[in-house]
Amino acid sequence: MDSHGQYEQQVVWAVTDTGIGPLLLAATREGLVNVVFHATDAVRDRALERLASRLGGEPVEAPDSPLLAEAIRQFEAYFAGERRDFELPLDWSLISGFNRQVLRELASGVPYGAVVGYGDLAGRVGQPGAAQAVGTAMGSNPLPVVVPCHRVVESHGGIGGFGGGLETKRKLLALEGVLPEPLF
C-alpha cells in the first residue's frame, strides 16, 4: 500500500522493435495493460507518466519479466507472419463501460485477416446506430494490435481512422492479407 492506503499496481515495461516501429509494452500482475505505438523516448516517457498516474507506482523497465518476455516473443512471431492470435493475459483496468464491452467483442469476435465495420461492431454489442461511439472506443483502445482495432473499417469501404496513424493501419492490414502490401 502507498501512503494514502491505496494499493499500488506494479507496472513493468519494455520497448520492442516491430515491423511498424517501436512499441511500448506495459504489464501488471494481471496481464498486458498497454501497448503504445511509435515509442520514441518522448512518447515512451509520456506513456509511462500516464501509467504511473492511472495505476500508481513508478513503472519499472523489465523486458525479462516473464509476461513481457512472452509478449515480445508473440509480437515478433506476429510480425514475422508466424502467429495470428495473441495468447496473453490482459489487464482491462485502463478501460471500462461501453468501450470495454466493444473492445472485448472485437478481441474475441474479429479474427486475423477479417475486418468489421464500425456500425456492425456496434450492432454486435446491442447498440445499433452507435458507430460513432465505436470509433471513440477504438481511439481509446489501450491494447492496440492485441485487441485489433486496426480491423475496424468504414462500412462504405474506407479504411477509417487509427490512433497509430493510417500508414500503420495499412501495414497491419497488409500483414494480415486484408490489403495488398504497399509498393513503397
Side-chain angles (χ1 to χ4, degrees):
M1 268 195 228
D2 68 11
S3 60
H4 305 291
Q6 301 289 317
Y7 286 98
E8 288 187 0
Q9 182 79 275
Q10 173 68 48
V11 177
V12 293
W13 65 273
V15 173
T16 186
D17 288 318
T18 71
I20 56 170
L23 294 178
L24 168 73
L25 307 179
T28 65
R29 282 182 219 98
E30 299 297 317
L32 193 65
V33 71
N34 203 197
V35 176
V36 179
F37 291 114
H38 315 296
T40 61
D41 291 348
V43 169
R44 179 200 65 212
D45 292 347
R46 282 193 306 274
L48 293 173
E49 287 172 17
R50 279 193 312 272
L51 285 168
S53 71
R54 294 280 308 271
L55 299 174
E58 193 62 33
V60 175
E61 185 173 14
D64 295 329
S65 76
L67 196 138
L68 287 179
E70 178 60 18
I72 290 167
R73 189 185 70 69
Q74 289 189 29
F75 271 90
E76 288 172 350
Y78 172 81
F79 283 103
E82 299 164 357
R83 171 176 281 281
R84 293 175 164 238
D85 299 305
F86 290 91
E87 296 173 12
L88 298 167
L90 301 179
D91 178 338
W92 293 92
S93 63
L94 293 178
I95 196 134
S96 61
F98 177 78
N99 291 355
R100 182 186 289 190
Q101 181 184 8
V102 168
L103 291 172
R104 282 182 178 266
E105 173 59 31
L106 174 63
S108 66
V110 183
Y112 182 99
V115 293
V116 65
Y118 293 93
D120 293 336
L121 191 52
R124 288 185 186 192
V125 296
Q127 298 292 323
Q132 203 165 9
V134 167
T136 301
M138 295 305 104
S140 65
N141 181 4
L143 295 162
V145 184
V146 177
V147 177
C149 53
H150 60 278
R151 296 180 189 153
V152 183
V153 297
E154 295 174 349
S155 60
H156 60 75
I159 194 168
F162 194 61
L166 292 181
E167 187 57 31
T168 299
K169 186 171 187 172
R170 284 186 190 97
K171 286 180 179 179
L172 290 167
L173 291 173
L175 175 70
E176 294 188 7
V178 174
L179 290 176
E181 287 288 333
L183 296 175
F184 45 89

